Amino acid sequence: MAQSLRIVSWNIAGGHTVNSLAQFDYHDEDLDYFASQIEPLNPDIVCLQEIHINHERSTANELAAKLGLSYVYDVDVSPSHIDKNYRLGNAIISRHPLKHVTDAYYPFPEFQLRFPNGKLAPDRHDKMVQIYKFKDFLICNTQMLPLDLFGYSYVKGEGNRLAQEIEKI
């Protein structure tokens, strides 16, 4: 009989729910909310994007504890646009040992990133993929740079050239 594997993936915005449809409008951190939504799904593996991480804490570790999942692999990736006391990262949390995880960072665009109002993006936000070899298959946890926010597309022009570079990874 085949065994099932339940995987959940969620961009948790540093543990903050959105307050409105306006960009970057968040409520206060609420990891209990995320745990309450994930726990009934009884996942074996949870892939998280935009965790908050610094030298003192990781929202991935705290969420794993709330879910009763024993293994955490988290990576600091870029400055947080939500809370300047943290950096954003990716994390895989699991009930299975995370023995075979590798990281691959995507190339950063060689073109300027400007918001629709013309303002230059203030920080460099690197992106990456975590690749977890579990038994006979790979689980990839990634977050792409939202090029559309800056008026680009991964389908055409400079954005497509970036997509081709990412594809090589």
Side-chain angles (χ1 to χ4, degrees):
M1 181 176 192
Q3 276 190 334
S4 66
L5 181 67
R6 193 171 294 250
I7 302 170
V8 171
S9 180
W10 199 345
N11 179 327
I12 65 167
H16 298 255
T17 57
V18 281
N19 189 42
S20 73
L21 294 179
Q23 282 180 325
F24 312 122
D25 183 20
Y26 302 100
H27 287 290
D28 290 338
E29 181 182 293
D30 185 0
L31 293 179
D32 289 333
Y33 168 79
F34 291 94
S36 75
Q37 299 302 303
I38 295 170
E39 194 271 332
L41 301 173
N42 193 29
D44 296 288
I45 298 166
V46 180
C47 296
L48 300 171
Q49 305 85 44
E50 290 196 354
I51 64 161
H52 269 160
I53 188 169
N54 64 21
H55 294 296
E56 286 129 29
R57 77 184 279 246
S58 161
T59 53
N61 283 322
E62 292 174 21
L63 193 52
K66 290 176 184 296
L67 295 170
L69 298 173
S70 302
Y71 302 96
V72 178
Y73 181 84
D74 54 6
V75 177
D76 173 334
V77 181
S78 63
S80 175
H81 59 279
I82 301 163
D83 184 335
K84 298 301 181 194
N85 294 312
Y86 294 97
R87 291 184 52 82
L88 295 174
N90 288 9
I92 300 172
I93 59 179
S94 175
R95 66 179 75 253
H96 305 283
L98 294 165
K99 294 180 182 177
H100 305 286
V101 183
T102 57
D103 303 323
Y105 286 82
Y106 297 144
F108 196 75
E110 294 181 11
F111 47 90
Q112 287 190 333
L113 300 177
R114 292 186 178 276
F115 290 101
N117 66 4
K119 183 178 176 189
L120 192 62
D123 296 314
R124 178 181 167 128
H125 286 274
D126 290 311
K127 301 297 178 189
M128 53 93 72
V129 60
Q130 295 171 306
I131 305 163
Y132 172 30
K133 185 174 185 333
F134 181 78
K135 298 188 179 183
D136 293 331
F137 58 95
L138 300 176
I139 299 166
C140 296
N141 180 32
T142 190
Q143 180 192 18
M144 302 298 293
L145 185 67
L147 285 185
D148 60 323
L149 180 65
F150 304 104
Y152 295 96
S153 165
Y154 283 106
V155 177
K156 59 186 177 184
E158 292 175 291
N160 184 256
R161 285 189 285 285
L162 176 63
Q164 290 173 23
E165 290 299 312
I166 291 170
E167 190 173 308
K168 291 175 187 175
I169 292 171

